């Protein structure tokens, strides 16, 4: 499936006479678009798309911090990357007159990101989801039959991690996403900058470090889960659902499920935004307006298994996608979820150093 997506995206990028077409430069998460949407946008607008991908917020921020990135569209997560970019004046305010489909967005979801972007001036929700556990229940039950499948204790209890190490455990390489979930599991504030809280989170991660098979990017976790290389991962909800779909397609008897932690799942929103120095802001506005069409968003959600913030798109989804509670959490699950804020710079530096020590196993 991934090879097909890359082939289609490559064909879309190369389609049409390059010299005669305006160019839109997109920087998005890996495996996070319906390739047919790219092709359709090019055919409908005559704008050629040049598409690049990343697999962590750290990679995105590093590319942007260098300046003159050359991108017209980026997709930062609301906290902390999008919030930082808004505060730094690094994003172009959106022109609602050129994006009439902003009216299609769910006001309640947009209100959850308005705290970092007053008036929702700089971004529109692209897709959203939670951070939780992807797993192979059969392997886990065989090795740890008494372990809870709906709690981060499945991973963060060192005894559970020790027993499950035989079938492979992974934690995605994203301090931004992992540390708040660990703090919430420990009963601490996910936004805490307190040294004692961060020390407790580091101790919890260090306790399971010897039992981890890898700390990869999220895209690699999709492959590892789908192939059966690992049986448990802390990662994004949609990545697990993608892996489950690939496993079913392979028809090798690999069952993969997702669980949002009962302690409260980390809820995130990925935002469509335009860098302040975008070479082609007109094309960027046209692309955002195109993506916010219900039929286009339905195609994207069907492909990548993440929900959109366009309510009218849900009626156009395939039934198995529209009715999957892991893709569309119910009201109770959303109420229990938390949206982490952006820690102050000193706490961010402390978290970054902690994460480096964790990855190195020191």
């Amino acid at each position: 499936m991934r090879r097909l997506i890359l082939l289609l995206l490559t064909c879309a990028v190369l389609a049409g006479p390059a010299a005669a077409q305006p160019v839109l430069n997109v920087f998005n998460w890996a495996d996070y678009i319906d390739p047919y949407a790219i092709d359709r946008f090019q055919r409908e607008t005559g704008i050629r798309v040049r598409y690049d991908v990343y697999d962590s917020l750290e990679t995105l921020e590093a590319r942007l911090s260098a300046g003159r990135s050359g991108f017209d569209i980026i997709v930062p997560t609301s906290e902390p990357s999008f919030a930082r970019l808004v505060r730094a004046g690094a994003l172009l305010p959106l022109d609602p007159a050129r994006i009439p489909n902003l009216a299609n967005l769910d006001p309640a979801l947009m209100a959850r990101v308005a705290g970092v972007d007053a008036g929702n001036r700089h971004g529109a929700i692209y897709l959203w989801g939670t951070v939780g556990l992807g797993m192979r229940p059969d392997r886990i039950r065989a090795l740890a039959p008494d372990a809870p499948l709906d709690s981060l204790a499945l991973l963060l209890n060192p005894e559970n991690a020790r027993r499950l190490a035989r079938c492979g455990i992974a934690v995605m390489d994203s301090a931004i996403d992992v540390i708040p979930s660990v703090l919430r599991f420990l009963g601490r504030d996910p936004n805490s900058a307190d040294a004692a809280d961060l020390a407790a989170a580091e101790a919890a991660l260090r306790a399971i470090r010897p039992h981890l098979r890898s700390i990869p990017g999220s895209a690699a976790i999709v492959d590892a889960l789908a192939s059966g290389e690992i049986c448990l991962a802390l990662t994004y909800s949609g990545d697990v659902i993608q892996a489950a779909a690939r496993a079913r397609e392979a028809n090798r008897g690999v069952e993969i499920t997702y669980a949002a932690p009962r302690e409260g799942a980390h809820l995130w929103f990925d935002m469509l935004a335009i860098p302040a120095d975008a070479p082609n802001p007109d094309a960027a506005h046209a692309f955002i307006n195109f993506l916010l069409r219900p039929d286009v968003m339905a195609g994207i959600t069907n492909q990548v298994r993440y929900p959109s913030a366009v309510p009218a798109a849900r009626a156009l989804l395939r039934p198995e996608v529209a009715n999957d509670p892991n893709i569309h959490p119910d009201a109770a699950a959303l109420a229990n979820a938390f949206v982490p804020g952006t820690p102050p710079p000193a706490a961010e530096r402390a978290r970054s150093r902690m994460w480096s020590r964790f990855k190195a196993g020191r």
Side-chain angles (χ1 to χ4, degrees):
M1 177 60 72
R2 177 169 296 177
R3 290 178 180 174
L4 172 61
I5 292 173
L6 291 175
L7 176 62
L8 289 169
L9 283 174
T10 300
C11 292
V13 167
L14 297 178
Q21 293 176 299
V23 176
L24 174 73
N25 300 284
V26 179
F27 198 31
N28 195 2
W29 292 89
D31 295 325
Y32 209 44
I33 191 75
D34 176 7
Y36 297 103
I38 299 292
D39 180 62
R40 184 175 173 187
F41 175 75
Q42 292 184 134
R43 286 187 282 105
E44 291 185 11
T45 65
I47 299 170
R48 186 166 61 95
V49 176
R50 188 179 291 136
Y51 198 93
D52 198 1
V53 302
Y54 53 91
D55 66 359
S56 74
L57 290 170
E58 288 82 359
T59 300
L60 168 64
E61 293 195 36
R63 289 287 294 272
L64 293 178
S65 66
R68 298 182 180 273
S69 69
F71 296 118
D72 300 299
I73 289 285
I74 57 173
V75 193
T77 302
S78 56
E79 291 276 9
S81 299
F82 177 71
R84 279 199 285 255
L85 293 169
V86 170
R87 288 198 300 269
L91 300 177
L92 191 72
L94 302 182
D95 181 357
R98 290 191 280 175
I99 313 177
N101 287 332
L102 287 172
N104 294 335
L105 288 164
D106 185 333
L109 292 180
M110 288 296 288
R112 297 193 78 157
V113 296
V116 299
D117 181 28
N120 297 123
R121 295 182 62 238
H122 297 88
I125 296 173
Y126 174 56
L127 300 172
W128 58 279
T130 57
V131 173
L133 297 167
M135 68 188 79
R136 285 191 58 180
D138 58 337
R139 301 291 303 278
I140 290 173
R141 291 190 186 103
L143 294 172
D146 56 338
L149 300 186
D150 63 346
S151 168
L152 278 178
L154 180 64
L155 170 71
L156 294 176
N157 180 317
E159 176 58 20
N160 290 336
R162 182 192 66 78
R163 290 187 289 176
L164 297 176
R166 290 171 51 192
C167 64
I169 307 173
V171 171
M172 66 173 165
D173 185 8
S174 179
I176 289 169
D177 295 299
V178 172
I179 293 173
S181 292
V182 175
L183 287 168
R184 179 64 173 254
F185 169 76
L186 296 173
R188 314 291 178 105
D189 179 359
N191 299 320
S192 179
D194 182 79
D197 289 342
L198 296 183
E202 181 171 7
L205 288 167
R206 287 168 64 90
I208 66 168
R209 181 63 181 88
H211 309 303
L212 298 181
R213 182 165 296 178
S214 61
I215 307 173
S218 64
I221 286 180
V222 175
D223 291 337
L225 277 172
S227 66
E229 178 185 338
I230 59 175
C231 68
L232 179 64
L234 179 61
T235 190
Y236 303 118
S237 54
D239 285 353
V240 179
I241 298 163
Q242 284 185 42
R246 291 185 193 176
R248 286 192 297 271
E249 291 169 3
N251 197 28
R252 295 177 182 171
V254 176
E255 178 198 2
I256 298 168
T257 63
Y258 175 76
R262 69 185 182 212
E263 295 84 11
H266 173 170
L267 178 66
W268 51 263
F269 300 92
D270 282 338
M271 309 298 295
L272 294 164
I274 305 174
D277 61 353
N280 196 343
D282 290 337
H285 279 85
F287 189 62
I288 293 175
N289 194 56
F290 172 81
L291 291 179
L292 297 181
R293 284 165 37 178
D295 59 324
V296 175
M297 270 302 183
I300 293 170
T301 294
N302 278 331
Q303 176 70 44
V304 304
R305 304 305 210 278
Y306 284 98
S308 77
V310 177
R314 188 163 180 178
L316 304 176
L317 297 173
R318 293 196 297 269
E320 68 273 18
V321 176
N323 300 323
D324 188 333
N326 292 319
I327 298 175
H328 297 95
D330 61 23
L334 284 176
N336 192 40
F338 67 94
V339 180
T342 302
E348 284 196 279
R349 290 191 293 271
R351 291 184 180 201
S352 179
R353 291 192 296 268
M354 177 232 289
W355 192 255
S356 296
R357 292 191 296 268
F358 164 61
K359 287 177 61 178
R362 296 198 302 268

